[in-house]
Amino acid sequence: MTGVRLAKPWLDLDEAVIAALPGQLGVYEIADAKGGTLELGFAGGRSRFGLRSAIAEAGAKHEAAARFRYEVTMQYWSRFEELLAVYLADHGELPPGNADRGEQRVGRLGVGSSCATGD
């Protein structure tokens, strides 16, 4: 099941693309040129310009950042937690930009969960 993963198309991380982003709440994934996830994040109620500013700030933190994808959602916090849990289940560790969060603070998917097995 791929429905819980962020599967939107990758966009280039450049100023023109970021300037065109909505100032809405949501979640995002920052990646390197090969698609390796560098950070999962969210634009919440305290994000000054929503996804636009959150993605710009996150991209600037990672020297290797080249691409991103996002999803507009009012349930940004639960969706962010869900994306972290799925990433942890898939890779056994958090993305580099989320490592300071600590794996013990991320929810776990059950052993029989279709998210963990990809079914």
Side-chain angles (χ1 to χ4, degrees):
M1 173 195 269
T2 59
V4 295
R5 290 168 179 80
L6 192 55
K8 303 276 185 173
W10 290 107
L11 301 169
D12 290 333
L13 189 63
D14 66 42
E15 289 183 31
V17 176
I18 291 173
L21 290 173
Q24 294 178 297
L25 307 176
V27 294
Y28 62 84
E29 180 177 7
I30 303 291
D32 60 22
K34 295 180 181 179
T37 301
L38 300 172
E39 181 176 335
L40 293 166
F42 65 90
R46 294 186 181 191
S47 298
R48 187 169 180 162
F49 297 108
L51 286 163
R52 188 178 323 130
S53 59
I55 291 171
E57 290 169 14
K61 290 191 303 188
H62 301 282
E63 188 175 315
R67 305 189 302 177
F68 73 96
R69 53 188 170 190
Y70 70 96
E71 181 179 294
V72 173
T73 178
M74 295 295 287
Q75 291 81 26
Y76 61 87
W77 184 254
S78 58
R79 183 68 173 120
F80 170 65
E81 290 285 328
E82 179 179 60
L83 290 172
L84 285 176
V86 170
Y87 188 93
L88 183 58
D90 287 348
H91 301 279
E93 62 185 4
L94 293 174
N98 300 102
D100 63 339
R101 180 179 179 84
E103 293 175 13
Q104 71 278 3
R105 295 185 58 209
V106 175
R108 300 286 176 160
L109 298 175
V111 174
S113 170
S114 62
C115 297
T117 62
D119 295 335

